[in-house]
Amino acid sequence: MASYPSPQELIARVHLGKEVEQWLSHYNEADYTVIRWISVAKEEGQFGVTYFESFDEGDEEFHDVHEFSVIDPENEPCGTTHLFDSIEAVVAFAIENYGASAEKFVASGMIYQEYAKHLLKKK
């Protein structure tokens, strides 16, 4: 199970240059499922939030959401990034625009566990 840092720990981690991620949701289309998540990182003196949408290509054995095919590879091969001057502005933007929660971020690399929880809910 993933450990969620407090909002203060989140701010400290990103200031130290450590990326954090958050599982957002999924939605179903006629013949496929799309998953959504964000990544927050320090980028060249600013702070960025990157939004990802990809096809749900995982299963119980394969959880690497970073390897899934993105919905629009021509326009968004690496997600959509928005830069801000503060981590607080990033979090506020993510909450307002993507429905994120300040209490549900995980350390980089732990998004796979969040995806695994999603798979368990689908059963």
Side-chain angles (χ1 to χ4, degrees):
M1 176 176 270
S3 173
Y4 302 113
S6 70
Q8 295 80 14
E9 291 172 321
L10 164 72
I11 291 167
R13 284 182 188 207
V14 176
H15 273 285
L16 290 172
K18 298 179 180 180
E19 183 177 345
V20 295
E21 298 173 301
Q22 185 172 139
W23 170 264
L24 296 174
S25 66
H26 74 282
Y27 62 90
N28 296 312
E29 292 291 343
D31 55 348
Y32 58 91
T33 300
V34 175
I35 61 170
R36 303 171 52 240
W37 78 96
I38 57 173
S39 171
V40 173
K42 192 173 186 179
E43 300 184 24
E44 299 179 22
Q46 290 188 299
F47 301 92
V49 57
T50 303
Y51 173 78
F52 298 93
E53 280 192 352
S54 64
F55 293 103
D56 186 353
E57 299 172 329
D59 57 33
E60 288 79 18
E61 301 295 319
F62 182 55
H63 300 145
D64 190 353
V65 298
H66 294 278
E67 295 295 322
F68 297 174
S69 303
V70 294
I71 296 299
D72 190 354
E74 189 171 304
N75 293 329
E76 300 181 38
C78 297
T80 302
T81 301
H82 300 275
L83 296 174
F84 298 88
D85 291 329
S86 73
I87 185 63
E88 294 84 359
V90 166
V91 172
F93 178 86
I95 290 169
E96 183 175 324
N97 291 278
Y98 300 129
S101 168
E103 288 82 29
K104 294 288 186 176
F105 284 94
V106 294
S108 181
M110 301 306 287
I111 193 76
Y112 311 124
Q113 288 182 354
E114 298 294 287
Y115 176 72
K117 287 193 289 188
H118 156 73
L119 289 176
L120 289 173
K121 289 179 187 175
K122 284 177 44 174
K123 288 186 176 184

